[in-house]
Structure formats: structure tokens, C-alpha cells
Amino acid sequence: MVKTLFFLLLFCMVATSAHAGLKVVGKGDNMRYDPSSFPPVMKANYDIMKVKCIKCHTLERTVVAIQTGVAPISGQPFDRNATKAYGVKMLRKPDANMSKKEVKATVELMNWLLDQVNQ
Ligand code: HEC
């Protein structure tokens, strides 16, 4: 019994710490990541995302996709295999105003974020 409780406690601690680095702040249109604990490369990628990926919709769409693993509009899976396709889809939209390099940076960031969520 004590052993079970101990493992339960341990599990909770591990589960919380895995999410500790991925802080979502704000609600609705204001929803975004708090990048203070991101590694420098991902911070730089986030600087691109928070400018380029809010032109047509807010960051909520991206955050929800990453947190839930489901793309909120199409209802399709949003996992590591899908991020690149979504990035390219956004790049191809009229007036996307993004370079391939910028999209690549946001795809890398989305993959990293997915890893943090699914640890
Ligand atoms: C030119 C406008 C535009 C820009 C810029 C844009 N998006 Fe989108 N985004 C859309 C539209 C329109 C949709 C609605 C669904 C669709 O057409 O795929 C969408 C949908 C989405 C979805 C949900 C997809 C689904 O199938 O549910 C995600 C996630 C997303 N965008 C992420 C991003 C990211 C990340 C970036 C930056 C790399 C970005 N968007 C930049 C227009 C844009």
C-alpha cells in the first residue's frame, strides 16, 4: 500500500515536471507560450512564430493543436508527422508573408513543443 502510494506520488511529480517547461499564458485570443524556460534556439524560433503566425489567426490555434494533438479546424491529428505539412500549408496561403526558412523554424519549434507535451 505504502509502496503504491509512493509510486503514485513519484508519478505525479514526474508528470508535473515534464510540463513545467511548457507554460501557456493567457486565454482565447491572448493564449501564447511563456518562452522564459525555452532553450535559446527555441526562443529564437518562437520570436519568428509570434510575429509570423499571428497574421491571419491568433496563436491560440497553434497552442491548442500542440496541447491536444488535434488540429482545431480540420480535426486531423497534429503530431510530429503533421507539423511540416501544416507549416507548408500556411506558407502557401495568399499573403502568408513568410519565407521557407521562417516556416522551417516554426516547424522545428512545433516539433520541440510536441516533445515537451508528450514526454
Ligand atoms: C496567410 C494567413 C495565415 C498565416 C500567415 C498562418 N495561418 Fe494558420 N491558418 C490559416 C487559415 C485560413 C487556417 C484555417 C484552416 C486551413 O485553411 O488550414 C489556418 C489554420 C491553422 C491551424 C489549424 C489547422 C487545422 O487543420 O485545424 C494551425 C495549427 C495553424 N494554422 C498554424 C499556423 C502556424 C504555425 C503559422 C505560422 C507558421 C500559421 N498558421 C500562419 C491562415 C494562416
Side-chain angles (χ1 to χ4, degrees), residues 21-80:
L22 204 56
K23 226 159 82 194
V24 176
V25 287
K27 282 204 169 88
D29 287 355
N30 239 332
M31 192 186 269
R32 61 202 185 278
Y33 286 105
D34 170 6
S36 52
S37 56
F38 287 14
V41 184
M42 294 304 157
K43 261 188 197 150
N45 289 347
Y46 188 63
D47 283 342
I48 296 170
M49 177 183 267
K50 73 181 187 205
V51 175
K52 293 291 172 176
C53 302
I54 56 155
K55 193 179 170 234
C56 313
H57 50 74
T58 64
L59 266 187
E60 182 188 17
R61 207 169 271 185
T62 308
V63 173
V64 167
I66 289 163
Q67 303 302 100
T68 62
V70 179
I73 309 292
S74 61
Q76 294 300 305
F78 195 91
D79 53 23
R80 259 179 164 277

